[in-house]
Amino acid sequence: MENKKMIVKAFSRIGIGYGAFIATTLLLQLGFGTVVGVLQIFGIKIPLGNWYVFFSSLANYVVGGAISYLIIRDMPVAQRANSERASGKMLLAGFLICISALYLGNLIGLALMKVISVLQGRPMINPVEEILNGLSGWAIFAVMVVMAPVFEEILFRKILIDRIRLYGDKAAILVSAFIFGLSHGNFYQFFYAFFLGIVFAYIYIRTGRLRYTILFHMAINFIGSIVGLKVQEVPWLIAFYSLIMLMAVAAGIVVFFQNRKNLIFQSGPYETWGKGSVRILFLNFGMIFFFLISTVTFVLSQISR
């Protein structure tokens, strides 16, 4: 019973920490918007383009990430178990599974938003596409391909997983992926971010090296942003790109099912998996706070546009 209370308290603190991250980013966006609006009143126009997105994104990660880290930093960190050295075969398999996770998760998100669009009788706006269409190549590369993967892997893999592996690999993977998915703030990204979060978490836990997930994250974002946009500019490349992606998705699915029985999950000192684990992991004050803050971002991602 004492261990159960301790575990619930730990995950509640995690929820508060990452809820604070989302709340901070919302407040920063509100602050930036207010400043821009006030300056426009005095005839000073701030272009909401490349540099604005770059510095506002950097502020979100640095300030929000710092607040989240300060809340959970003194939580006990799991001692790293024996790690595997990633072979070329393992990295290739992991990358193909990442492509599958990206593609299938994106399909689910698009299908869900299509249903919501029909039910509401109005088109849903993909906030990611809206942002990308307003940025130049260097800004997309700097924010999406470099900044986001580095900060997000530190925040959602290194800092988070190191503090929840005490409760078992399965709990660490599920919770970190769920928080990662919801932190994207919209259904267009939630599903593929959640699936990718599972893959990234497993790779990090098995290898103990953040550089692999950072590189995978960079590659996925590069394919989804810069490559995707450039392909649309050349009609004949669209079919070729689609074919390559479908082949990679199919290969990733095959690789996953071939290797699913070889997946290794270690138990933690305070193993939290099985009957009642969902209630312990998610139905506590901090995680409920995180869910509520996340809901606000999901709503704002549509009504604010």
Side-chain angles (χ1 to χ4, degrees):
M1 181 61 70
E2 193 64 31
N3 281 346
K4 181 178 177 180
K5 290 181 179 178
M6 180 268 292
I7 295 169
V8 170
K9 185 177 179 180
F11 281 94
S12 181
R13 189 169 177 181
I14 290 293
I16 292 172
Y18 284 83
F21 168 75
I22 297 177
T24 301
T25 61
L26 288 174
L27 290 174
L28 285 172
Q29 291 172 22
L30 177 62
F32 287 140
T34 301
V35 170
V36 169
V38 170
L39 290 176
Q40 287 181 342
I41 293 175
F42 291 97
I44 304 174
K45 186 175 182 180
I46 304 295
L48 303 181
N50 297 320
W51 288 107
Y52 178 85
V53 172
F54 178 86
F55 284 113
S56 62
S57 298
L58 183 61
N60 288 340
Y61 286 124
V62 172
V63 179
I67 291 174
S68 180
Y69 175 69
L70 288 173
I71 292 173
I72 69 172
R73 66 174 178 174
D74 61 346
M75 292 179 66
V77 175
Q79 294 296 318
R80 183 174 297 173
N82 293 332
S83 302
E84 298 180 25
R85 182 173 181 178
S87 64
K89 182 179 179 181
M90 176 182 177
L91 293 177
L92 177 60
F95 183 70
L96 290 174
I97 293 173
C98 283
I99 294 293
S100 300
L102 172 68
Y103 187 84
L104 297 176
N106 188 50
L107 284 182
I108 294 173
L110 290 173
L112 176 62
M113 295 309 293
K114 182 65 175 178
V115 171
I116 294 175
S117 176
V118 171
L119 292 175
Q120 292 189 353
R122 64 183 181 89
M124 296 290 102
I125 299 173
N126 188 331
V128 180
E129 289 184 357
E130 190 177 38
I131 292 174
L132 292 178
N133 289 333
L135 298 179
S136 62
W138 75 264
I140 295 174
F141 185 85
V143 175
M144 302 293 291
V145 183
V146 178
M147 185 190 301
V150 171
F151 279 104
E152 289 177 5
E153 290 308 306
I154 293 172
L155 186 61
F156 295 104
R157 247 64 66 184
K158 176 64 180 176
I159 293 175
L160 179 55
I161 290 178
D162 283 0
R163 284 162 178 76
I164 53 178
R165 270 199 86 186
L166 289 170
Y167 312 101
D169 286 355
K170 291 181 179 179
I173 290 171
L174 178 63
V175 173
S176 64
F178 205 68
I179 289 177
F180 180 59
L182 285 178
S183 295
H184 282 72
N186 62 83
F187 277 120
Y188 283 103
Q189 292 180 284
F190 168 73
F191 293 100
Y192 71 71
F194 173 69
F195 293 155
L196 285 171
I198 290 176
V199 182
F200 290 162
Y202 184 80
I203 292 172
Y204 175 66
I205 284 175
R206 290 272 57 82
T207 66
R209 293 173 175 83
L210 197 65
R211 62 176 177 265
Y212 296 133
T213 60
I214 289 177
L215 290 174
F216 276 17
H217 200 153
M218 286 180 169
I220 291 296
N221 281 14
F222 180 76
I223 292 172
S225 58
I226 292 184
V227 174
L229 290 174
K230 292 298 182 182
V231 164
Q232 294 178 20
E233 297 175 0
V234 185
W236 68 267
L237 274 179
I238 297 177
F240 178 73
Y241 174 77
S242 299
L243 177 62
I244 295 297
M245 288 296 292
L246 287 174
M247 291 173 61
V249 169
I253 294 173
V254 170
V255 168
F256 172 76
F257 280 102
Q258 284 181 337
N259 292 277
R260 70 187 188 282
K261 293 182 179 180
N262 299 324
L263 298 176
I264 300 172
F265 301 100
Q266 295 183 358
S267 299
Y270 305 102
E271 180 64 25
T272 308
W273 192 258
K275 185 178 180 180
S277 59
V278 170
R279 181 169 56 84
I280 294 173
L281 298 175
F282 296 109
L283 299 184
N284 52 68
F285 173 80
M287 292 301 289
I288 291 173
F289 166 72
F290 172 76
F291 296 149
L292 291 175
I293 294 294
S294 299
T295 301
V296 173
T297 65
F298 276 63
V299 173
L300 289 177
S301 70
Q302 290 302 316
I303 67 174
S304 62
R305 290 174 165 79

